[in-house]
Amino acid sequence: MSWLRRLRYSVPGVSPSSSHQGWDEYDGPLLSGRSTVAAALARAPRRFVDLVVEPGDPELALSRDDVLAAITVGTGDGRSWTISLAEEMKPVVDTGPDVTDDDILLAAFAAHPEVTLAQHPDRECFELVLARPLRVDELLALTVDALSAAHRELARRLRIELPD
């Protein structure tokens, strides 16, 4: 991979979790100390409650750190990204869409002004194409914001009151 291409999206002092065939992947916790990620987490609900499997079950609620640990993002150029969500996200965000007829999380990604194309090719996988390259911490913050918006919207539709 060209080091110039990696400069578009890399963060100094943060190495990818894995790299293969010109593609770098980053696990969410690698970037928890970045100000953009910390700001997105501060905007997120304190707890992402179960809305899908057993609504209100505190055992299925996720903390902000749990949510961050459930995200992996990958890119080869900073413009095309894959966002992978661990199965633990299913109770707090409709990754289907199974609960609603529309894809709330895909719509939350597509609503971001930098996103020119958003796709949902697999249950826990999203693909984004951006208008310009973003650093990996900026993309992770965008992901946390989209997850937060989708969680709040699904709770609103299901008439489930969130703790904060």
Side-chain angles (χ1 to χ4, degrees), residues 56-90:
D57 185 346
E59 302 240 346
L60 294 177
L62 300 178
S63 69
R64 292 171 177 167
D65 289 340
D66 294 335
V67 168
L68 199 58
I71 303 169
T72 300
V73 297
T75 189
D77 63 5
R79 285 194 65 221
S80 297
W81 290 88
T82 297
I83 296 110
S84 300
L85 303 176
E87 186 146 335
E88 295 80 36
M89 292 300 295
K90 178 61 182 166

Side-chain angles (χ1 to χ4, degrees), residues 79-124:
R79 285 194 65 221
S80 297
W81 290 88
T82 297
I83 296 110
S84 300
L85 303 176
E87 186 146 335
E88 295 80 36
M89 292 300 295
K90 178 61 182 166
V92 301
V93 177
D94 185 17
T95 60
D98 298 326
V99 179
T100 63
D101 291 335
D102 56 337
D103 195 329
I104 297 171
L105 184 51
L106 184 65
F109 279 122
H112 192 280
E114 290 295 335
V115 175
T116 60
L117 177 66
Q119 299 180 83
H120 192 174
D122 192 17
R123 180 174 279 299
E124 283 96 13

Side-chain angles (χ1 to χ4, degrees), residues 14-63:
V14 178
S15 297
S17 304
S18 66
S19 296
H20 46 88
Q21 299 179 340
W23 193 261
D24 289 336
E25 291 186 344
Y26 296 82
D27 294 332
L30 283 176
L31 299 151
S32 63
R34 303 295 300 176
S35 62
T36 53
V37 175
L41 289 171
R43 292 187 295 270
R46 289 189 200 287
R47 306 268 313 154
F48 284 70
V49 300
D50 174 18
L51 301 173
V52 178
V53 179
E54 294 290 332
D57 185 346
E59 302 240 346
L60 294 177
L62 300 178
S63 69

